[in-house]
Amino acid sequence: PKVTYIEHDGRRFEVDLPEGWSLMQGALLNGVTGIEGECGGSCGCATCHLYVDEAFVDRLPEIAEAEDEMLDCTVAEREANSRLGCQIKMTADLDGLVVRLPEEQS
Ligand code: FES
């Protein structure tokens, strides 16, 4: 499934991620610099913060408690469409997903 990452400076990365990969993994392996993923995806750092395009917000799995707590620790302001990239796994249903990255992660 395809996902488009839009960096804070406007650069766009359109990549095809295998199903089951997280948005954080996909960013790191495709040179998207707006995601750090310091904790390796264990929901412990909040450096994979991203903003999900409104059209997709309702299609994502609900925010679990651990993610919710971490989202309160992001460097860039938390918005209604904020999520952690490591907690969102690609599925066929998310094909075409667009996410925007904050100016800074740490
Ligand atoms: Fe650390 Fe997502 S990579 S919380």
Side-chain angles (χ1 to χ4, degrees):
K2 291 208 168 43
V3 53
T4 300
Y5 298 89
I6 304 177
E7 303 263 24
H8 194 260
D9 63 8
R11 280 179 302 150
R12 298 169 71 96
F13 291 81
E14 283 185 41
V15 303
D16 205 355
L17 290 190
E19 284 190 52
W21 281 35
S22 77
L23 293 181
M24 182 276 283
Q25 290 173 308
L28 294 194
L29 289 168
N30 287 284
V32 179
T33 56
I35 284 189
E36 291 178 11
E38 217 168 78
C39 75
S42 57
C43 205
C45 72
T47 64
C48 60
H49 179 206
L50 47 78
Y51 302 110
V52 176
D53 188 90
E54 303 291 347
F56 288 87
V57 167
D58 292 341
R59 290 200 228 166
L60 300 178
E62 276 191 37
I63 300 177
E65 199 180 325
E67 182 181 357
D68 191 38
E69 283 173 16
M70 264 302 138
L71 280 168
D72 284 335
C73 304
T74 55
V75 170
E77 198 165 339
R78 179 178 184 174
E79 308 282 355
N81 61 340
S82 285
R83 294 297 301 254
L84 293 182
C86 68
Q87 300 302 302
I88 299 175
K89 306 268 192 288
M90 276 316 277
T91 62
D93 187 50
L94 291 178
D95 185 45
L97 178 64
V98 177
V99 297
R100 290 178 178 76
L101 308 179
E103 187 169 12
E104 49 187 359
Q105 294 282 14
S106 57

